[in-house]
Amino acid sequence: METKRHPFMKVIKDVRSLPTIPGIIAKVLLLLDDNKTSFKEISRLISSDQTLSSRILRLANSPFYRFPGHVSTIPAAMLMLGSKAIKGLVLTSIIFEMTDKNSLGYWEHSLGTATAANIIAKRLRVAKPEEVSTAALLHDIGKVIIKSKLRDDYEALLTQIKEKEVSMREAELEMFEVDHAEVGGWAVSSWGLPEVLCEPIACHHDVEKAETYRVEAAIVHLADILIKANGFGFTGDDFVPPIQPAAWEVLNVNEPFLEEITVELGHKLIEVHEFSQGIQSV
Amino acid sequence: MRNILLASAREKMILAKDIAHPSGPDRLPIYRKGTELTEALIERLAGMGIQSLAVSERSDNGEEDRDLQERLDALEYRFKRLDGNQLMMNLKGIVRKQLIYSMENDHGD
Ligand SMILES: [Fe+2]
Ligand SMILES: [Fe+2]
C-alpha cells in the first residue's frame, strides 16, 4: 500500500516542491490570519500590487458571486466577501500564474462549479455562500498541482483515461493511490487556507469524510457533478460521477430542486463562458 | 450555434433562434432565425430588455439539427457509466430536457 503512496506524498508535501508563493501573497495570507491586523492594512498591502488587486476585483465582480452593482475598490471587496473568501481569491490569483494559456477548460470548469455552488448555497440558505463558491473555485486545484509536479506521470494518466475510459480520479487512485481532492486538500492547508475552504476541497469526491463542513463539501460535490452533466469546461475526463448518497442525504434536496438549479444554471453559464474567455488576460 | 450576451452581439451575426418579446403575452416571435444583426437591431433588442441570444456564423439550416444531435450524443457519453443509477438517469433527463429547450426555444430574456 505504502509503496506508491509514500514517494508521491513526499513530492507533494515537500514544501520546496509546492508551487512557490510570491512574497507579497505570502504576506497577505499571513496578515489575513492575524486577527490583530486591520482591514485597512490588508487592503493597503493588496492595493500595492497592481496585478493582484486587479485580479481580485475582476473575480469579485464575476458572475459567480452575483453581487448587485460594481465592486470597484479592495476595501469594498473585502467587506462584501469577508477575509476567508478573499484569502481564497488571493490563492486563485496564484493559480492563474501556475496554469498555462491552454487551460481554458479548467477555468470554465472551476468558474462554472463556483457558480453552481453559489446557486445551491443561496437556495439552501447557507450562512456564507461566498465561502462555498470560493471552495468550489479551488476544488480541482489538486489537478493543477499533479500536472505541474509530475509532468510525465500526468501524460501517462491522460493515456490511461483515454484507453480504459475511466475518470481522472480512478486513474489517479490506480497510479498514485491518492486523488486530486486529497492532494488539493494538503496543498491549500499547507498554504494556510481556513478549514471551511480546505475540507470541502479535500472531500469533494468523498463527502462522508467531511467532519466539520459536510454541507459545504456536499454542495461542492453536487455543483461539480451538475457542471460535468452540462458538459461545461473540461478537466481531463468526460464522465459524470454519481451523486453520493451521503451528499444527497445531508443536503436533503429532491429532484424538482435539481431541475430548478439546472434551469437557473443554464442561463448563468452563458455569462460564465464569456467571463472565462477574458479572465486569463487579466 | 452559440449563446452570447447581447453586449457581445455584433453586426453581421445571424440569429440562430427566433426572438420573442420577453414581456409579450403570447411570446410570438418578432425576429426570425436567419435574420442578420445590424447595429439598429441590436439597439432595439437592448431596448426590449433582451440580455442573451443565440447566433450562428452561417445561415445554414441543417447546422442546428446536427448541432443538437451532437450535443445529445455527448450527453449520452458523459452518462454512459451510470445506467443502473436511477437518480443519475433522472438528472440526465433533466439536462437533456434543458438542452433541447435551449436549442429549440428562444429564451432571450
Ligand atoms: Fe474533482
Ligand atoms: Fe471538478
Side-chain angles (χ1 to χ4, degrees), chain A residues 109 113 139-140 143 180 204-205 224 228 235:
Chain A
H109 176 75
T113 307
H139 79 281
D140 274 339
K143 290 188 181 179
H180 63 270
H204 77 268
H205 290 298
D224 178 43
K228 297 206 77 159
T235 49

Side-chain angles (χ1 to χ4, degrees), chain A residues 134-155:
Chain A
T134 308
L137 183 63
L138 290 164
H139 79 281
D140 274 339
I141 168 101
K143 290 188 181 179
V144 179
I145 293 170
I146 292 174
K147 189 178 171 188
S148 73
K149 287 298 129 201
L150 302 158
R151 287 248 163 224
D152 299 345
D153 290 309
Y154 188 78
E155 289 306 316

Side-chain angles (χ1 to χ4, degrees), chain A residues 83-100:
Chain A
S83 62
K84 285 179 182 163
I86 283 284
K87 217 168 169 181
L89 288 193
V90 170
L91 268 173
T92 304
S93 78
I94 307 171
I95 309 163
F96 278 123
E97 315 279 349
M98 284 168 58
T99 55
D100 47 61

Side-chain angles (χ1 to χ4, degrees), chain B residues 20-81:
Chain B
H21 200 290
S23 51
D26 40 15
R27 296 188 51 93
L28 280 176
I30 46 174
Y31 295 108
R32 285 290 179 189
K33 81 176 185 193
T35 306
E36 190 176 301
L37 293 185
T38 59
E39 279 308 328
L41 179 52
I42 294 170
E43 255 169 54
R44 236 171 296 145
L45 294 176
M48 282 162 53
I50 302 280
Q51 285 174 4
S52 63
L53 68 168
V55 293
S56 61
E57 308 308 328
R58 296 165 292 130
S59 52
D60 172 1
N61 278 331
E63 184 196 2
E64 268 149 70
D65 298 340
R66 276 200 305 278
D67 205 18
L68 177 61
Q69 196 49 52
E70 259 169 41
R71 288 186 197 212
L72 290 176
D73 290 347
L75 176 68
E76 286 302 321
Y77 183 76
R78 295 199 294 276
F79 277 82
K80 79 174 202 172
R81 290 154 34 114

Side-chain angles (χ1 to χ4, degrees), chain A residues 165-166 170 225-226 228-231 238-243 248 255 259 262-263 266-267 270 274, chain B residues 3-5 8 52 75 77-82 85-88 90-91 94-95 97-98 107 109:
Chain A
E165 291 201 318
V166 292
E170 286 163 326
I225 288 170
L226 292 180
K228 297 206 77 159
N230 267 284
D238 288 309
F239 298 114
V240 182
I243 299 173
W248 195 245
E255 285 175 23
E259 183 147 17
T262 305
V263 172
H267 292 281
I270 303 172
E274 298 222 347
Chain B
N3 290 308
I4 59 167
L5 293 178
S8 308
S52 63
L75 176 68
Y77 183 76
R78 295 199 294 276
F79 277 82
K80 79 174 202 172
R81 290 154 34 114
L82 296 164
N85 186 322
Q86 195 52 52
L87 174 59
M88 294 308 286
N90 296 345
L91 175 61
I94 290 170
V95 176
K97 199 168 119 191
Q98 167 77 8
H107 58 94
D109 45 338

